[in-house]
Amino acid sequence: MHLANRSLVTAVCSATVLCAALAGCAPQPEEKRKDEASGRSGASAGACAPGGLATQVPGKLTVGTDKPAYAPWFSDDEPSNGKGFESAVAYAVAKQLGYGRDAVVWQHVPFNSAFAPGAKKFDFDINQVSISESRRKAVAFSSGYYDVRQAVVALKSSKAAGAKSVADLRKVRLGAQVGTTSLEFINDLVKPETEPAVYQRNDFAKSTLKNGQVDAIVVDLPTAFYITGAEVPEAKVVGQFPDSPDNPEQFGLVLDKESTLTPCVSGAVDALRKDGTLAALEKEWLSDAVDAPVLK
């Protein structure tokens, strides 16, 4: 609003009779103020009109993810095939927003770039990105679409294979992908005596594990089960780290910090959780990754 116009409105609203007639001058209901402050449910129905969002490309929904796109989150390194948990979730969210499969455009976005500061070229990114307050400083998140645990994978012949507690891991050589909560768990919870190995991609972490260059790597639990079941069968899932019941780790869809789509996307995720879609997709794609000993 131009300054001159704002001054005029202020002057008009100073008159009690006229102010009562102007809806914009009426005090906002408490609930509406809370919605707008949270940024999660303050969008109007018109702003979330099915298929009519203010997306990067009109009429299309641009979804970002990394490459390679790993199983069990994706299948055959092809996000657009609808197979794998995150591919299926992305299309379910798109459908909830009013976009069919032919209106979804996938874009390669490196993991760390997804939540780095700066404008985004995607409408939302889905790539096992955990919601955290530090990342919220640079990007916006949807509601959580998956509650995740971090886990330890070691070769069966490794000295890390017999670990029963977090303390047992302090003397072993650990590794994880850069920028991940997996690496945070190593540094903040395990606090190993040896500096952990850090990798640009999980592919590199798996290679060094297989070659015995590290004793164990830390990844999310479904990925841990996939690694041991399909990629490094000589490895085992040693255990999972305990989670805080008051603050569970969740994956969220990443959006631009100033994105107007965030309330709409969160609403779509909330609806999918409420109607059981997320639980059904989790059962379909992640059912094998449900249990591992908890490292106390």
Side-chain angles (χ1 to χ4, degrees), residues 50-239:
L53 303 182
T55 53
Q56 295 280 338
V57 179
K60 300 287 185 180
L61 193 65
T62 303
V63 181
T65 200
D66 204 352
K67 186 175 182 64
Y70 299 108
W73 311 105
F74 299 93
S75 180
D76 300 324
D77 192 20
E78 184 49 72
S80 63
N81 62 17
K83 299 177 180 179
F85 179 72
E86 289 193 328
S87 179
V89 167
Y91 282 116
V93 170
K95 182 178 180 181
Q96 195 75 27
L97 294 172
Y99 294 87
R101 287 188 59 153
D102 58 347
V104 176
V105 178
W106 288 89
Q107 182 182 80
H108 171 216
V109 179
F111 179 80
N112 287 333
S113 298
F115 50 87
K120 307 303 178 188
K121 295 182 179 180
F122 52 76
D123 294 310
F124 68 75
D125 182 274
I126 184 167
N127 190 28
Q128 306 114 67
V129 181
S130 296
I131 300 169
S132 71
E133 290 309 309
S134 61
R135 289 173 178 171
R136 283 190 192 277
K137 295 176 183 178
V139 295
F141 282 99
S142 72
S143 302
Y145 62 87
Y146 180 68
D147 298 350
V148 65
R149 292 282 192 96
Q150 297 296 318
V152 178
V153 176
L155 293 181
K156 296 171 185 176
S157 58
S158 165
K159 59 183 178 180
K164 303 295 183 185
S165 67
V166 173
D168 291 340
L169 297 170
R170 292 196 177 121
K171 294 183 181 296
V172 303
R173 173 80 163 157
L174 300 170
Q177 183 176 342
V178 66
T180 60
T181 50
S182 303
L183 184 58
E184 290 178 9
F185 267 75
I186 294 175
N187 289 324
D188 299 340
L189 182 63
V190 179
K191 300 177 181 177
E193 295 178 0
T194 303
E195 193 76 15
V198 181
Y199 309 98
Q200 285 297 319
R201 301 205 320 245
N202 267 337
D203 272 353
F204 302 147
K206 287 180 284 189
S207 294
T208 57
L209 174 70
K210 195 169 185 177
N211 295 335
Q213 294 171 268
V214 292
D215 297 309
I217 60 174
V218 177
V219 293
D220 59 77
L221 188 57
T223 298
F225 274 95
Y226 184 79
I227 289 172
T228 56
E231 298 180 311
V232 190
E234 58 269 39
K236 62 176 282 188
V237 178
V238 177

